[in-house]
C-alpha cells in the first residue's frame, strides 16, 4: 500500500471493492499487528500526535491529543472506542465511499486506536439509511473475526477488541458526539452538558473516544510509514491527504483523495471538470451545508483548516456544494434553514424556536411579503442564534453560517425580493 493515496489508492489497485484477501495482499493489518505487538499505547499516541492528524469529521481537532485525554492505568476500567459514521451533513458522502469500498482500513484503524487508549469494546455508529455500506462493513467485521483480527487475543497477544455495528435511528443531531453517545445508549439523541467530556466520561459514563470514519482510516498509514511520510503528503502546514468532494453543476461531480491544502480551483476545475456549459460559479459551501459561503475570489485558497477559517468559513468535511448562477441564494438559504429547523433536537429555545422562525421569514421574503428591515432582523437572529455560547451545542451556529454569509455576499438578491417581490435577474 505505497500509493500516495493511502485511503483509496488500493480501491483502484484492485479494481473495485476491497475484500480481506485484497487488503492483506497490499499490506493490510500489518500496521495493526505492529502497533499491538511492538508498540506501547503511549508510543502510538505520540506517533499520531507527531503526524499532526487532525479530525476529518469537520472540527479538525488533533487526534493524538484527543486520545491522550483518556485516563490510563490498570484501575481505570472499561473504555470505549466509537466511530462516528452518521454522515448526515448535506453534501457530504466521503465516509459512505470508504465504508463501501475499503471497509477494512476502518477496522484496522479502530484496532490501532483501541490499543492506543486501552479500549476492549468498539462501535461503529452508522447512518441508518446506509444499507449498502452497512452490509459491506458487516461483512468486513465478520471476516476480521474469522481471521482472528478481532475478538480475544488478537495477533497472538493478550489484547482483546470487540467491534460492533450500531445502526442509527436517524437525525442529523446524532453527528454531535455526545448526542451520538446518548443514542448509542438507547436514549434520546440530545447533546450532553460538557464538561465532562467523553474522554473522561462518555458511553455509559466510561472513558470514550469518538472519531470520524476518515480519521480512523488515516491511522494505519501513519503507523506503517511514520509521521514524516504523513507530513510529506500534505501541500500546506496540515499533514496527510484529504477526501475532497464536489456536488452541483460541475462536469464530474465526485470524490478524490488529494494532498490536504489542494486549492479550491484545482479541485473544481481539474478534478470536478469545471462548471457545466451555460453555468457560472457564484458561490460554494466549502465543507457541507453548515459552513459559510465563499465566492469566486476565494478559488485560489488552499483547502486546509487554517486557510479556510481565515477566509471566514470552515473546511468542515471538505465536500463542496456548488451554487451556480441559476440558483437563487435566498431560496437556497430557505432550503437549508428548513433542514436545520427539522433536525433540531428541540432542547434549546434559540434553536427550537429561532430556526423555524428564520425559515418562515425567508418564506415571506420569497413569496413577496418581505418588508424593509427584514434583513436586519435576519442578521440579528444569525448573531443571536449563531453565537457559540447561546445554545447547548453547535447545531444552531452551524445552521446560521450559510445564512449570515449569504447576507454578506448576496445581499442584493435579498433586497431585490423585498423591493420587487421577485427574484433578482441572474448575474450571468
Amino acid at each position: 500500500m505505497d500509493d500516495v493515496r493511502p485511503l483509496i489508492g488500493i480501491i483502484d489497485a484492485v479494481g473495485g471493492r476491497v475484500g480481506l484477501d485484497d487488503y492483506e495482499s497490499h499490506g493490510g493489518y500489518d500496521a495493526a499487528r505492529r502497533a499491538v505487538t511492538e508498540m506501547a499505547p503511549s508510543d502510538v499516541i505520540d506517533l499520531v500526535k507527531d503526524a499532526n492528524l487532525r479530525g476529518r469529521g469537520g472540527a479538525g481537532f488533533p487526534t493524538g491529543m484527543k486520545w491522550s485525554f483518556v485516563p490510563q492505568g490498570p484501575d481505570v476500567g472499561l473504555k470505549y472506542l466509537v466511530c462516528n459514521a452518521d454522515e448526515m451533513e448535506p453534501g457530504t458522502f466521503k465516509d459512505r465511499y470508504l465504508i463501501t469500498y475499503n471497509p477494512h482500513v476502518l477496522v484496522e484503524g479502530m484496532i490501532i486506536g483501541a490499543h492506543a487508549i486501552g479500549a476492549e469494546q468498539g462501535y461503529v455508529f452508522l447512518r441508518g439509511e446506509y444499507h449498502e455500506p452497512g452490509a459491506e462493513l458487516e461483512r468486513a467485521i465478520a471476516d476480521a473475526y474469522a481471521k482472528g483480527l478481532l475478538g480475544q487475543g488478537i495477533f497472538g497477544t493478550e489484547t482483546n477488541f470487540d467491534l460492533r455495528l450500531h445502526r442509527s435511528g436517524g437525525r442529523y443531531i446524532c453527528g454531535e458526539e455526545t448526542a451520538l453517545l446518548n443514542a448509542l445508549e438507547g436514549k434520546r439523541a440530545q447533546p450532553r452538558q460538557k464538561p465532562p467530556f467523553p474522554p473522561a466520561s462518555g458511553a455509559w459514563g466510561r472513558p470514550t473516544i469518538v472519531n470520524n470514519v476518515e480519521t480512523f482510516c488515516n491511522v494505519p498509514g501513519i503507523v506503517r510509514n511514520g509521521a514524516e511520510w504523513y507530513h510529506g503528503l500534505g501541500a500546506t502546514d496540515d499533514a496527510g491527504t484529504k477526501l475532497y468532494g464536489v456536488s452541483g453543476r460541475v462536469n464530474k461531480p465526485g470524490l478524490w483523495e488529494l494532498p490536504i491544502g489542494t486549492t479550491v480551483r484545482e479541485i473544481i476545475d481539474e478534478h470536478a471538470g469545471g462548471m457545466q456549459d451555460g453555468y457560472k460559479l457564484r458561490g460554494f459551501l466549502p465543507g457541507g451545508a453548515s459552513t459559510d459561503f465563499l465566492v469566486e475570489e476565494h478559488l485560489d485558497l488552499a483547502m486546509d483548516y487554517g486557510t479556510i477559517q481565515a477566509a471566514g468559513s470552515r473546511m468542515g468535511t471538505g465536500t463542496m456544494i456548488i451554487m451556480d448562477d441559476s440558483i437563487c441564494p435566498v431560496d437556497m438559504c430557505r432550503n437549508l434553514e428548513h433542514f436545520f429547523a427539522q433536525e433540531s433536537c428541540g432542547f434549546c429555545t434559540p434553536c427550537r424556536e429561532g430556526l423555524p422562525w428564520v425559515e418562515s421569514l425567508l418564506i415571506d421574503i420569497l413569496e413577496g411579503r418581505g418588508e424593509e428591515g427584514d434583513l436586519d432582523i435576519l442578521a440579528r437572529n444569525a448573531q443571536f442564534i449563531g453565537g457559540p455560547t447561546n445554545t447547548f451545542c453547535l447545531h444552531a451556529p452551524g445552521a446560521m453560517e450559510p445564512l449570515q454569509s449569504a447576507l454578506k455576499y448576496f445581499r442584493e438578491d435579498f433586497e431585490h425580493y423585498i423591493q420587487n417581490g421577485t427574484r433578482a435577474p441572474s448575474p450571468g
Side-chain angles (χ1 to χ4, degrees):
M1 295 170 65
D2 296 323
D3 196 293
V4 294
R5 300 169 300 151
L7 305 188
I8 68 173
I10 186 175
I11 298 171
D12 291 340
V14 304
R17 301 185 182 190
V18 180
L20 179 56
D21 290 342
D22 297 320
Y23 190 65
E24 289 190 313
S25 71
H26 287 79
Y29 290 105
D30 287 351
R33 182 176 289 102
R34 178 190 171 203
V36 172
T37 63
E38 300 178 19
M39 301 176 69
S42 59
D43 293 335
V44 177
I45 293 174
D46 288 343
L47 176 60
V48 175
K49 279 184 179 180
D50 291 342
N52 191 29
L53 170 60
R54 300 181 64 170
R56 299 307 203 237
F61 192 82
T63 303
M65 183 180 297
K66 189 175 189 178
W67 291 2
S68 71
F69 295 155
V70 176
Q72 301 289 352
D75 300 326
V76 174
L78 186 62
K79 306 173 193 176
Y80 293 103
L81 186 72
V82 180
C83 174
N84 184 347
D86 194 54
E87 194 167 57
M88 284 190 66
E89 179 73 9
T92 299
F93 45 91
K94 63 185 182 65
D95 296 338
R96 175 183 66 189
Y97 183 82
L98 284 171
I99 294 171
T100 302
Y101 288 94
N102 192 12
H104 283 284
V105 71
L106 170 60
V107 175
E108 183 175 19
M110 293 191 71
I111 293 171
I112 297 169
H115 174 65
I117 69 168
E120 294 192 355
Q121 180 65 60
Y123 294 92
V124 178
F125 189 97
L126 183 71
R127 178 176 175 177
E129 294 84 354
Y130 276 5
H131 302 295
E132 185 179 5
E136 294 295 331
L137 185 56
E138 281 185 328
R139 184 178 299 110
I141 291 173
D143 289 346
Y145 268 108
K147 198 70 177 288
L149 301 168
L150 290 172
Q152 303 295 302
I154 60 176
F155 303 116
T157 69
E158 296 181 356
T159 298
N160 307 319
F161 183 55
D162 285 307
L163 184 60
R164 301 180 187 177
L165 176 62
H166 178 95
R167 296 178 185 272
S168 170
R171 297 310 296 271
Y172 175 78
I173 197 64
C174 290
E176 198 278 337
E177 65 176 6
T178 61
L180 180 155
L181 294 176
N182 273 340
L184 182 65
E185 295 177 11
K187 301 173 184 175
R188 179 176 178 177
Q190 182 173 296
R192 300 177 180 178
Q193 182 174 348
K194 294 180 286 188
F197 293 92
S201 178
W204 295 281
R206 304 303 307 162
T208 305
I209 285 294
V210 182
N211 281 126
N212 171 257
V213 171
E214 187 183 352
T215 307
F216 280 122
C217 291
N218 274 270
V219 172
I222 292 171
V223 173
R224 183 181 302 107
N225 299 301
E228 185 176 350
W229 165 85
Y230 193 69
H231 279 276
L233 297 178
T236 58
D237 290 340
D238 285 333
T241 59
K242 180 75 186 76
L243 291 181
Y244 293 113
V246 178
S247 59
R249 286 193 173 97
V250 291
N251 286 301
K252 297 187 296 183
L255 188 74
W256 309 271
E257 183 177 4
L258 302 170
I260 195 167
T262 299
T263 66
V264 178
R265 187 182 301 276
E266 178 182 335
I267 296 169
I268 295 175
D269 288 350
E270 296 186 24
H271 301 284
M275 300 298 296
Q276 294 178 9
D277 290 343
Y279 297 97
K280 293 177 61 178
L281 183 144
R282 193 166 180 209
F284 61 95
L285 300 169
S290 63
T291 57
D292 291 84
F293 278 102
L294 295 177
V295 293
E296 189 173 8
E297 67 185 69
H298 300 112
L299 286 176
D300 292 312
L301 294 181
M303 274 285 280
D304 64 26
Y305 297 100
T307 303
I308 299 301
Q309 182 176 355
S313 186
R314 294 182 297 110
M315 188 172 78
T317 61
T319 49
M320 287 182 255
I321 301 174
I322 301 296
M323 184 180 74
D324 63 79
D325 58 352
S326 74
I327 296 173
C328 173
V330 186
D331 195 38
M332 184 170 177
C333 285
R334 191 276 317 159
N335 185 44
L336 293 173
E337 296 311 320
H338 176 70
F339 171 81
F340 290 119
Q342 281 189 317
E343 293 299 326
S344 170
C345 79
F347 183 80
C348 304
T349 301
C351 189
R352 181 185 67 248
E353 306 296 335
L355 295 182
W357 192 87
V358 166
E359 181 195 357
S360 70
L361 185 52
L362 290 169
I363 291 173
D364 284 344
I365 293 173
L366 286 164
E367 295 182 352
R369 298 187 296 272
E371 300 177 356
E372 294 294 333
D374 281 354
L375 301 191
D376 292 335
I377 294 173
L378 283 174
R380 285 200 300 272
N381 275 273
Q383 178 184 0
F384 295 142
I385 298 173
T389 61
N390 294 345
T391 52
F392 208 55
C393 78
L394 295 178
H395 178 85
M400 290 296 99
E401 288 188 17
L403 176 61
Q404 68 188 10
S405 54
L407 290 170
K408 174 182 177 181
Y409 292 116
F410 315 115
R411 191 177 185 89
E412 66 276 8
D413 291 84
F414 289 84
E415 291 173 342
H416 192 279
Y417 257 114
I418 291 174
Q419 294 165 5
N420 302 282
T422 60
R423 178 183 171 183
S426 171

